[in-house]
Amino acid sequence: MSDIKAVVRAEHPEIVLSQTVAHDRESAVRSVSEAGTDPTSGKFFYHVESPDFSRFEDGLRGDSTVGGFERVIETATGEAIYSFEYTDEATVLSPVVSAANGVVLDMENDGHAWILTVWIRERTDLVHLWEYARENGIDIELLRVNEYAGLGDGDAGVTDSQRNALLVALKAGYFDEPRNATLGDVAAELGISQPAASGLLRRGIRRLVVSSLADGRETPE
């Protein structure tokens, strides 16, 4: 049986960071899915490209979904990694996907909306996301969905060790938001070092994204 890769567009002013990207439409924001967030810290990491970080941060200060932020790393090419703390008003979709035994592989802004790339076991499991959206007034649209060999059967360019690491992390709650397991927890379960576990997860996620989004036109490494 093939797994499902779905690309979904979701829009609501209380989805995390929506007010910020509406304020600064020239900035591109995407989640850093492999960041080793401590689940007790309440911090979440995003990659930001912006011609004016001051304008982007003005948007953050007026965003009711953001409780605090820090520019962690900045390059000379207009890119940065930010850490954010969410407020109680923030709507976070990844726990809904996790509850359906899925993983948000990628999340990036599109004006007022967000484009989420979701890996999930069964097409019918997407109904949980649609039910949540209906109950919370979220505009949601399925852009595309296709079956592909994914986490469960060793294709999609994912090695056995990468697949095992991803499945262990999924079961432990590493992909939940907030996370229910640290990178150290995953490494301990695998019996390897944290850098080794981080590398397996990062490369495995990249291979899945390349396989599902690039249709094999990129090399996986």
Side-chain angles (χ1 to χ4, degrees), residues 46-60:
Y46 287 79
H47 178 274
V48 179
E49 297 180 35
S50 177
D52 187 346
F53 286 116
S54 295
R55 182 175 61 207
F56 178 76
E57 291 176 3
D58 284 341
L60 290 173

Side-chain angles (χ1 to χ4, degrees), residues 11-142:
E11 181 174 356
H12 190 279
E14 292 180 359
I15 294 178
V16 292
L17 299 175
S18 291
Q19 297 161 42
T20 298
V21 297
H23 173 82
D24 183 11
R25 292 174 182 259
E26 294 186 43
S27 293
V29 182
R30 69 177 186 271
S31 60
V32 180
S33 57
E34 69 271 21
T37 305
D38 180 343
T40 64
S41 73
K43 293 185 178 181
F44 307 92
F45 293 84
Y46 287 79
H47 178 274
V48 179
E49 297 180 35
S50 177
D52 187 346
F53 286 116
S54 295
R55 182 175 61 207
F56 178 76
E57 291 176 3
D58 284 341
L60 290 173
R61 295 184 183 96
D63 193 327
S64 64
T65 71
V66 177
F69 66 89
E70 179 184 0
R71 196 188 312 174
V72 180
I73 301 172
E74 182 180 355
T75 71
T77 57
E79 301 180 16
I81 299 294
Y82 277 80
S83 69
F84 299 106
E85 297 176 17
Y86 301 156
T87 67
D88 292 338
E89 296 182 34
T91 296
V92 185
L93 297 178
S94 55
V96 184
V97 177
S98 296
N101 295 317
V103 175
V104 176
L105 297 174
D106 192 33
M107 174 178 173
E108 59 182 334
N109 69 298
D110 175 22
H112 288 285
W114 293 92
I115 308 299
L116 291 86
T117 302
V118 176
W119 169 86
I120 204 162
R121 281 288 192 181
E122 301 284 349
R123 186 186 297 259
T124 53
D125 288 336
L126 288 171
V127 72
H128 300 292
L129 185 56
W130 257 253
E131 288 176 349
Y132 179 85
R134 184 179 65 251
E135 292 169 358
N136 291 275
I138 298 171
D139 291 331
I140 192 166
E141 177 185 2
L142 182 63

Side-chain angles (χ1 to χ4, degrees), residues 137-157:
I138 298 171
D139 291 331
I140 192 166
E141 177 185 2
L142 182 63
L143 300 182
R144 59 186 180 272
V145 62
N146 63 279
E147 297 182 356
Y148 73 105
L151 289 178
D153 53 21
D155 293 324

